[in-house]
Amino acid sequence: MRKCIVFIAVLFLVLLAGRGFADERAGILLLEHGGDQEFNEGAEELRDAVRSATGVPVELGYVCCVTWGNSGSMQYAVNKLAKQGVTKVVAIPAFVHSKDNGLLSRAHNILGIGPVGTPPFNKEMTGAPLKFASVPQNMTFAVTDGWRGDELIAGILLDRGKDISKNPKEETLFVLDHGATYDWEMPEYDKTLNELIETVKSKSPYKRVAYGYWRDDADKEIKVVQKEKIRNTIAEASKDSKVLVVCAQTQDIRSMKPNGKWIKELSGLTFDFNSHGLNRHPNFALWFKKKFNEAMATGQFVKSDPSKYNQVAEIPAHSGMQGMEGVQGGHKM
């Protein structure tokens, strides 16, 4: 009889432990920009690669363009994670960003774990009226920063340059980036991208490493200035080196393919280029695994509470919203 009681007690503890483990199952909400069919198919490939690398449930949450700031695919991702028993969600952005940017603040806000942004962006950018994702009571979130100066990401950019390099000591690696929409985002954006560039430089075999932004979604006047800065940098570097252009973007860059928009903007200059983004490189999925493990180690997860973050303010005119024609139909880079 005593053996039977002991057996039942042990079985109960095992079942209880198993239930506790299930209740605390972790997964990843992969935050992507979102765009047209080609862009989103690339995002799905990345999701599958991260699933394989981490062995945990991974779902996509688009934060712009296709859902244009409302809870659309974010809600879908939360629902799918919940159906898989996930209660601890690590949201990892596929961006360089860390803080003070529209994309991440939008994601925080939709999940009900942060304000809409400081300063807030206008209702067109937010997708007002803003819709919060409906989150299960037992689900908590941790949101990581972007890739900043991570060595795994720097390694991808160096490999993209290596694909088109012939004599690194006589070449300039020029890293092109999309850039932020608003001027208020740029100081932090530039700081984080510069961290990445410094990591690239520390491992670079090239004569020099430079970088620049297009800022395609900013005011027309800003884009004109950025274009001239990029052209001048390439022209100056071309005086004593061969310029290799690579892109610090998640997906392959359509604008950097032959006859693409960015290639046409650089007509008359001499350079080689690689249109591949960070996706499909083994380092990228490993970076997501690294960020997931770091977040889990902290144990710092918070519950969704939209009631704290239900205010949407507007920003003044001429703050970076011009030049957005056609974006709502799909992100085009």
Side-chain angles (χ1 to χ4, degrees):
M1 181 70 177
R2 180 178 294 178
K3 290 183 178 179
C4 182
I5 293 174
V6 171
F7 174 78
I8 293 173
V10 171
L11 180 61
F12 175 78
L13 291 173
V14 170
L15 291 174
L16 185 63
R19 180 181 177 184
F21 177 77
D23 287 345
E24 294 298 316
R25 189 180 190 193
I28 294 173
L29 174 57
L30 198 166
L31 300 175
E32 252 284 34
H33 189 285
D36 58 17
Q37 181 176 346
E38 181 181 358
F39 188 100
N40 293 344
E41 286 175 353
E44 290 169 358
E45 286 185 29
L46 176 59
R47 174 203 61 200
D48 295 344
V50 176
R51 280 177 181 167
S52 297
T54 60
V56 303
V58 181
E59 299 298 339
L60 280 167
Y62 295 119
V63 295
C64 195
C65 284
V66 172
T67 54
W68 200 240
N70 61 43
S71 61
S73 68
M74 298 280 280
Q75 181 68 71
Y76 183 69
V78 167
N79 292 347
K80 292 195 72 174
L81 288 169
K83 287 180 180 179
Q84 296 171 78
V86 172
T87 57
K88 287 185 175 294
V89 178
V90 180
I92 307 176
F95 320 118
V96 70
H97 310 306
S98 57
K99 61 181 180 179
D100 293 338
N101 65 85
L103 291 176
L104 279 190
S105 60
R106 186 184 304 126
H108 279 79
N109 196 238
I110 290 171
L111 295 173
I113 59 175
V116 76
T118 307
F121 32 87
N122 70 13
K123 291 182 178 180
E124 179 186 355
M125 189 69 170
T126 307
L130 190 68
K131 295 181 180 179
F132 293 100
S134 178
V135 177
Q137 286 289 326
N138 65 340
M139 183 175 284
T140 57
F141 297 89
V143 183
T144 75
D145 58 9
W147 49 71
R148 301 181 69 97
D150 194 274
E151 292 186 357
L152 288 170
I153 304 302
I156 300 176
L157 294 177
L158 289 168
D159 281 352
R160 296 306 187 217
K162 185 178 180 181
D163 290 342
I164 54 177
S165 174
K166 295 179 181 178
N167 184 9
K169 292 182 179 180
E170 299 300 325
E171 294 168 340
T172 293
L173 185 69
F174 188 84
V175 180
L176 267 181
D177 189 79
H178 184 276
T181 299
Y182 305 108
D183 282 342
W184 62 263
E185 295 176 287
M186 280 307 297
E188 182 67 22
Y189 193 108
D190 185 70
K191 176 183 175 182
T192 52
L193 186 61
N194 187 63
E195 289 180 26
L196 179 59
I197 298 303
E198 289 301 313
T199 304
V200 172
K201 287 180 179 179
S202 71
K203 300 177 178 298
S204 170
Y206 298 101
K207 184 170 187 174
R208 69 173 64 87
V209 177
Y211 71 100
Y213 308 98
W214 286 109
R215 296 192 66 186
D216 267 3
D217 296 337
D219 291 348
K220 181 178 179 180
E221 294 79 5
I222 293 174
K223 290 189 289 185
V224 170
V225 171
Q226 293 303 121
K227 173 183 173 180
E228 287 308 304
K229 286 183 178 179
I230 291 170
R231 288 187 61 89
N232 290 340
T233 301
I234 293 178
E236 187 64 26
S238 296
K239 292 179 180 179
D240 64 0
S241 66
K242 179 74 172 183
V243 177
L244 310 178
V245 178
V246 298
C247 299
Q249 298 292 134
T250 300
Q251 305 295 342
D252 290 355
I253 310 302
R254 182 166 50 194
S255 297
M256 284 301 296
K257 293 181 180 179
N259 297 317
K261 178 179 65 177
W262 289 356
I263 295 298
K264 291 179 180 178
E265 295 284 354
L266 300 177
S267 62
L269 299 172
T270 302
F271 58 93
D272 287 339
F273 60 94
N274 191 331
S275 64
H276 293 304
L278 306 178
N279 204 5
R280 301 185 182 91
H281 191 289
N283 278 16
F284 208 21
L286 292 177
W287 177 80
F288 279 92
K289 181 178 181 179
K290 175 182 176 181
K291 299 301 290 185
F292 172 74
N293 289 337
E294 289 175 351
M296 292 300 297
T298 69
Q300 296 178 358
F301 288 77
V302 297
K303 293 185 70 67
S304 173
D305 187 359
S307 64
K308 292 182 179 179
Y309 310 111
N310 60 1
Q311 297 299 314
V312 179
E314 294 195 39
I315 55 173
H318 308 297
S319 53
M321 284 306 301
Q322 288 78 13
M324 302 289 286
E325 304 84 27
V327 170
Q328 296 189 44
H331 189 55
K332 296 182 180 181
M333 291 193 300

